[in-house]
Amino acid sequence: MPLLDIQNLSVAFQTRSGVFSAVTDIHLTLDKGEVLGVVGESGSGKSVTMLAMMGLLPWNAQVTADRFSFDDQDMLSMPEKARRRLTGNDIAMIFQEPTTSLNPSFTIGFQIIEALKIHEGGSRRQRRERAIELLDKVGIPAPAKRLGDYPHQLSGGMNQRVMIAMAIACNPRLLIADEPTTALDVTIQAQILDLLLELQQERGMAMILITHDMGVVAEAAERVAVMYAGQLVETGTAGDVFHHPRHPYTGALLNALPERHPGQGRLPTIPGVVPGIEDRPQGCLFNPRCPHVQEDCRQTRPALESDHSTGSSHDVFKKVRCYHPLVAQEQGEVAP
Ligand SMILES: Nc1ncnc2c1ncn2[C@@H]1O[C@H](COP(=O)(O)OP(=O)(O)OP(=O)(O)O)[C@@H](O)[C@H]1O
Ligand SMILES: [Mg+2]
């Protein structure tokens, strides 16, 4: 039984000009201790999907799913209070901007100790000790001294470490990291990613790592889900998706990796942008940007279907949403 099981999740937003689907037909499963990478450009629906999971979407969002369970408990039908307890104890989320999640008016010590109070009780002294332990764990030097600091006194990378300390304070079984390193310098990005993976392994947590960087996913994830304009377009093991991309969008993302073009000044990019929720095209959502587009792609929307082409037919997770998936030769174009 998977830890997380999402079948046919959709989210629609009520806006001034009508009701629009932000994400549709999302299927995700995650086993205990597994790392799933979710990739896609800005606007592809990565955050909306995760916020739906946490019950953190604004009031104008409508969430539906055939199945949405964590540890075999149905998240959609459970009472609000029970759900909040579940997401508070067993699922934690780290956001892109630590400054939006840390309160600027309180010291980081106060914020961590408050979080611990909710989750594990104990005396004030014990919680203080535990806060120091957590800060030490996430690599903050002289943690006892840092407790009295306010977020603005720390660098972006240090604040992100504080966020991670708070996220792991309650020993979650699932950690969702939504672009945890995007706001940071490249060298700090690598350090934070290493820290997350180290904690994930040490604690046997499952992790969903959201990013627009295929390189990050390659390094960290066992399985990958590629999203485009609110839909999954390809899912599979990291090895499969990297070596045998089937969706032209996945191919284009891989082709944009700097390491695939050593010594070249300009990298290939994908022309155009992800369509917003109010201007999605007819047919395949990627068709206006797809180098392999054919007539049928402009007519009807393809379904996400199992893909048995790469010799990985045993993997039920290997799926693609495309009428004309890339064949070996075209995959070769994007190989390193
Ligand atoms: N409250 C809302 N009301 C209306 N539309 C929304 C709302 N929140 C998100 N959307 C739309 O849903 C779509 C998916 O957004 P989402 O934030 O999930 O993208 P993302 O993949 O996380 O992008 P990024 O990489 O920039 O974080 C976007 O078109 C966005 O404009
Ligand atoms: Mg996002």
Side-chain angles (χ1 to χ4, degrees):
M1 193 212 333
L3 181 67
L4 179 72
D5 189 1
I6 299 178
Q7 301 299 326
N8 198 19
L9 170 79
S10 293
V11 179
F13 287 107
Q14 176 101 50
T15 71
R16 262 174 294 169
S17 24
V19 177
F20 296 95
S21 304
V23 299
T24 49
D25 196 20
I26 302 290
H27 301 262
L28 289 176
T29 60
L30 192 67
D31 287 333
K32 292 186 181 83
E34 194 173 30
V35 181
L36 170 72
V38 178
V39 265
E41 285 163 286
S42 200
S44 54
K46 307 180 298 293
S47 294
V48 165
T49 305
M50 298 307 140
L51 292 172
M53 195 144 66
M54 298 295 288
L56 290 176
L57 284 169
W59 65 272
N60 66 331
Q62 299 159 2
V63 181
T64 56
D66 291 346
R67 186 170 169 77
F68 197 148
S69 68
F70 182 83
D71 201 18
D72 215 23
Q73 304 170 72
D74 181 11
M75 302 253 279
L76 286 182
S77 65
M78 82 174 45
E80 187 54 34
K81 210 171 155 191
R83 182 180 173 144
R84 242 180 291 140
R85 199 177 322 124
L86 183 70
T87 47
N89 285 326
D90 289 331
I91 311 178
M93 189 158 171
I94 307 169
F95 299 91
Q96 176 169 345
E97 274 290 335
T99 44
T100 55
S101 338
L102 288 175
N103 191 325
S105 336
F106 296 104
T107 63
I108 59 167
F110 178 82
Q111 296 185 59
I112 298 177
I113 289 166
E114 277 302 293
L116 288 170
K117 202 191 253 175
I118 300 163
H119 293 297
E120 49 190 73
S123 71
R124 212 189 135 65
R125 196 202 163 94
Q126 283 167 332
R127 286 198 299 269
R128 190 172 181 279
E129 295 283 296
R130 179 108 168 85
I132 294 171
E133 242 171 69
L134 282 165
L135 288 180
D136 184 50
K137 183 86 228 156
V138 298
I140 291 189
K145 284 195 201 135
R146 294 278 82 84
L147 283 182
D149 283 356
Y150 289 88
H152 73 89
Q153 292 173 284
L154 301 175
S155 67
M158 284 297 161
N159 274 323
Q160 197 56 298
R161 287 175 193 268
V162 174
M163 280 303 308
I164 294 171
M166 285 172 73
I168 61 167
C170 53
N171 290 317
R173 286 193 284 164
L174 169 61
L175 180 65
I176 303 171
D178 191 351
E179 312 223 20
T181 63
T182 317
L184 308 170
D185 297 346
V186 182
T187 46
I188 311 288
Q189 282 185 6
Q191 290 173 7
I192 296 287
L193 190 64
D194 286 347
L195 169 65
L196 280 172
L197 290 172
E198 195 187 302
L199 292 168
Q200 180 271 326
Q201 269 170 14
E202 190 185 291
R203 293 164 177 246
M205 287 184 296
M207 182 155 87
I208 300 180
L209 186 62
I210 301 174
T211 170
H212 51 250
D213 186 341
M214 272 284 194
V216 167
V217 170
E219 217 171 294
E222 298 154 67
R223 291 192 304 161
V224 181
V226 183
M227 288 190 70
Y228 185 80
Q231 296 190 316
L232 291 172
V233 295
E234 182 159 3
T235 58
T237 60
D240 251 354
V241 171
F242 279 91
H243 299 294
H244 308 283
R246 294 281 283 158
H247 199 285
Y249 179 61
T250 314
L253 282 179
L254 289 168
N255 202 31
L257 282 174
E259 50 269 41
R260 301 217 168 178
H261 307 274
Q264 285 175 27
R266 273 187 147 237
L267 296 174
T269 53
I270 313 172
V273 292
V274 181
I277 57 175
E278 297 184 24
D279 47 34
R280 297 213 164 133
Q282 194 188 331
C284 171
L285 294 172
F286 188 56
N287 91 71
R289 301 172 76 189
C290 184
H292 302 273
V293 62
Q294 297 186 29
E295 203 36 49
D296 48 352
C297 310
R298 299 194 175 97
Q299 306 302 327
T300 52
R301 207 157 283 177
L304 186 69
E305 283 175 350
S306 296
D307 174 32
H308 303 294
S309 67
T310 59
S312 54
S313 51
H314 305 300
D315 182 12
V316 289
F317 195 62
K318 179 67 185 168
K319 293 197 171 99
V320 63
R321 186 191 296 279
C322 180
Y323 292 132
H324 309 284
L326 300 179
V327 292
Q329 242 169 330
E330 296 158 328
Q331 291 167 349
E333 274 173 25
V334 298

